[in-house]
Amino acid sequence: MHAVHLISFNIIAMIVLVLIDQVLGTGFLALIYSLAVLLPNLAVGARRLHDIGRTGWWELISFIPLIGGIILIVWCATDGHAQSNQWGPNPKAVQASGGAAVAY
């Protein structure tokens, strides 16, 4: 759910910055913002892919026009694995009072 909010915020921020750039006649505000959020966006995408048991390198599939983006959207909408994987425990797991991790 956090990724959805991050994506929504980024889309709204980019629209506002492009509009401000056009009003001011500049073109660097949206560029600066894009560069500032590039690394965090890559990290969020890699973490989401790790949740479904895929390596973060699969983000490069987005360079395939149309098909790559569709595949990433489907993967990001897929529920993560209930058990731990090679990248760590399930982030949805919470510690129960008995000490066992349960997924919700």
Side-chain angles (χ1 to χ4, degrees):
M1 191 65 162
H2 296 299
V4 173
H5 291 124
L6 180 66
I7 292 169
S8 300
F9 176 79
N10 282 334
I11 290 171
I12 292 169
M14 282 300 295
I15 290 171
V16 169
L17 288 172
V18 166
L19 290 174
I20 292 172
D21 275 341
Q22 288 194 358
V23 168
L24 296 177
T26 62
F28 63 88
L29 291 177
L31 175 66
I32 291 171
Y33 179 78
S34 296
L35 292 175
V37 298
L38 177 65
L39 191 59
N41 283 335
L42 290 174
V44 167
R47 177 61 190 172
R48 180 63 196 120
L49 288 170
H50 288 170
D51 290 345
I52 61 170
R54 298 190 182 276
T55 178
W57 287 105
W58 277 105
E59 284 188 87
L60 296 176
I61 201 169
S62 65
F63 288 118
I64 300 173
L66 190 63
I67 303 295
I70 292 171
I71 292 171
L72 277 178
I73 288 171
V74 169
W75 285 346
C76 285
T78 303
D79 196 24
H81 294 156
Q83 68 280 4
S84 297
N85 60 27
Q86 71 187 59
W87 292 283
N90 179 2
K92 288 184 177 179
V94 294
Q95 283 299 94
S97 60
V102 291
Y104 58 90

